[in-house]
Amino acid sequence: MIRLSIRRKIMGIAVALIVLMAITSVMTVVLVMQVGSRIEELTYSYMPAYGDLARANIRSLERALAIRRIIIEKLQSPDDNGQYTALRDRYDALDGQVELEILAARALIHGLIEKGPAFGMYRH
């Protein structure tokens, strides 16, 4: 049986701990790089898509308000077409803006779907 001196036992433990710390450091660096890329993806892909969807929702609410104003205007003065026409033009303009925001959001979301899952899974 080989008997190791205390000095060699302590040195072996120290070397083993240094190796474990090096492995842990390498794993930490890899995980930090993954977090960095995920934050960039979140910043440049997900946030603009959510912004487009939020703006589309706001434009949709503005359209609903415009419809409400059109109805109120028509009920209050059925003969006056000047204000009605202006409100109707505003409503039509908002319709185009809603469609543009939705198309922009769809394009970003389609790109994200094409990339595949990013969060919660490791890429292969």
Side-chain angles (χ1 to χ4, degrees):
M1 191 172 211
I2 300 176
R3 293 186 82 57
L4 298 175
S5 67
I6 292 178
R7 177 179 173 216
R8 288 186 186 233
K9 288 179 185 178
I10 292 174
M11 191 62 109
I13 291 172
V15 168
L17 287 174
I18 290 172
V19 168
L20 286 175
M21 288 186 337
I23 291 171
T24 303
S25 297
V26 169
M27 287 177 55
T28 301
V29 167
V30 169
L31 292 175
V32 164
M33 289 188 321
Q34 285 180 353
V35 167
S37 67
R38 289 181 181 178
I39 288 174
E40 284 179 16
E41 185 174 355
L42 179 73
T43 302
Y44 296 116
S45 299
Y46 285 87
M47 296 304 267
Y50 289 137
D52 289 337
L53 290 174
R55 282 187 296 278
N57 188 30
I58 290 169
R59 300 294 181 255
S60 178
L61 292 173
E62 287 176 347
R63 281 184 69 211
L65 181 62
I67 289 174
R68 191 174 192 171
R69 286 180 179 164
I70 289 170
I71 293 170
I72 290 171
E73 182 64 30
K74 208 55 166 160
L75 290 174
Q76 287 180 350
S77 56
D79 297 333
D80 183 22
N81 285 335
Q83 183 71 12
Y84 172 78
T85 306
L87 289 172
R88 181 64 191 207
D89 291 341
R90 173 76 175 138
Y91 174 78
D92 292 337
L94 287 171
D95 186 39
Q97 291 176 358
V98 170
E99 289 301 317
L100 288 175
E101 296 292 346
I102 289 174
L103 287 175
R106 281 184 184 161
L108 287 171
I109 291 170
H110 182 68
L112 292 171
I113 290 171
E114 290 294 319
K115 278 195 215 175
F119 291 110
M121 296 185 163
Y122 291 104
R123 294 181 193 170
H124 298 291

